Amino acid sequence: MKEIILAKFGELVLKGLNRRSFEAVIERNTMRALEPIGKFSFFNVQSTIYIECEDDGPFADTLIARAKERVRDIFGFVSVSTAAATEKDMDAIAKTAKEYLAPTLSAVKTFKVEAKRSDKRFPLKSPEICREIGGVLLSTFHHLKVDVHNPDVTVYVEIRDRGAYIHCGREQGAGGLPVGTSGKATLLLSGGIDSPVAGYMMARRGVSLSAVYFSTPPYTSERATQKVIDLAKIVSRYAGPFKLFVVPFTHIQEEIAKHCRSELFTIIMRRFMFRCAEKICLSQKGGALITGESLGQVASQTIPAISVTGEVVSIPVFQPLIGMDKEEITRISRKIGAFETSILPYEDCCALFSPKHPKTHPRSDELVKEERHFDIDALVDEALRESRLIRVDYDGETVEVEKRYD
Ligand code: ATP
Ligand code: MG
């Protein structure tokens, strides 16, 4: 008996997308995610990817269990199950069902069998398969009763093109679209709770990410940067490996603090962040920025503040958390495993120089006037020239690359 993973992608999701390229992307994402776990083979039939472990040794079960955990987080799959694979022969199916389901069926009182025969050449029809396998299980596990309405366990027998499969139901997959099917965007990733969640949510819509973090040495420490790298790694579990640019922001912040009215500090700083991020995004052939604002959460997240920040760039800014409460955002942060890292107490550059009374209704003309104090392009280019590029990968090491932004 061989245990395999069946990962199913939704038909609906295919609407409007080119089916072949969609499948190629989800297959590539799956192979890449499982590569660090072991050697697997992949077959794609009937909107399902069949994943088999090539290692037949004593660790095959563990490898399949680990692979399933991983596949559950891959965007584009609506459901994931592990199943026992066997030949399309009733004796083999009965024998496999008894063996494979023993631990599950020993622990429950009632069950039913559902059969699905997508290979119509199989001689028995679905109700006959149910009756026969149900009978075998009843005569093997004497404590069991059939309950067709409300069973403790439903046993599924699927007769498909490649073989027969037996399992006890599917778990929900991560949903969304495969990363890489909706273009590229650059996430402004800070060390907080919100931006990792924003990145996760856009990756779930199929966007492939790059990210930028603005650090303010020596006011922010190397530990604060490490925290952002750790968060980026967590996001890459879902979004796949991506590039993180660490942009030194000290000179820009000092210049703003020196030349601008303090109540406008935050908003002018954010306008500089957006300008830098847009350049990075375009260099990565991306088409949008992603940030973690939630309306009204802080002074820089009012409609006028968001509006004057966005106007310095010409690409769209996606703010997937804009209508969410902190509680909802925190729930997702916990679900994706980022929360504990996000709340580590390392200072974030925005906390420095921050005015006591930031302006909540900044006007565009007053900002433009304040910004006349600077050579904006020169400051942006200097920061980008000095940025570091880090390749972030969930399973692998993060690798710092000599080559920086260009
Ligand atoms: P977060 O929890 O993501 O830090 P926040 O609630 O602290 O967000 P702000 O500080 O106003 O809110 O930042 C809003 C958004 O701007 C962040 O979600 C993030 O996308 C971006 N941002 C803020 N600071 C930085 C930074 N140092 N580097 C990169 N992006 C940043
Ligand atoms: Mg923050």
Side-chain angles (χ1 to χ4, degrees), residues 202-228:
M202 294 317 301
R204 189 163 190 268
R205 294 312 303 159
V207 173
S208 112
L209 303 180
S210 56
V212 51
Y213 166 60
F214 298 96
S215 68
T216 320
Y219 305 104
T220 58
S221 65
E222 192 49 36
R223 284 208 302 185
T225 303
Q226 188 54 49
K227 174 183 168 182
V228 174

Side-chain angles (χ1 to χ4, degrees), residues 20-35:
R20 272 200 185 289
S21 67
F22 173 100
E23 292 186 359
V25 174
I26 201 165
E27 255 179 62
R28 189 198 62 206
N29 293 352
T30 311
M31 284 179 192
R32 199 167 52 193
L34 298 191
E35 214 173 65

Side-chain angles (χ1 to χ4, degrees), residues 248-268:
F249 218 48
T250 317
H251 187 205
I252 291 178
Q253 295 215 37
E254 285 172 346
E255 285 293 299
I256 304 172
K258 208 185 309 169
H259 297 294
C260 299
R261 277 159 39 212
S262 86
E263 78 222 44
L264 295 177
F265 177 87
T266 308
I267 214 79
I268 292 177

Side-chain angles (χ1 to χ4, degrees), residues 193-202 235 320-321 324 329 332-333 336:
I193 295 171
D194 303 330
S195 44
V197 174
Y200 164 85
M201 289 184 64
M202 294 317 301
V235 174
L321 316 185
M324 290 167 71
I329 299 168
I332 302 176
S333 169
I336 67 173

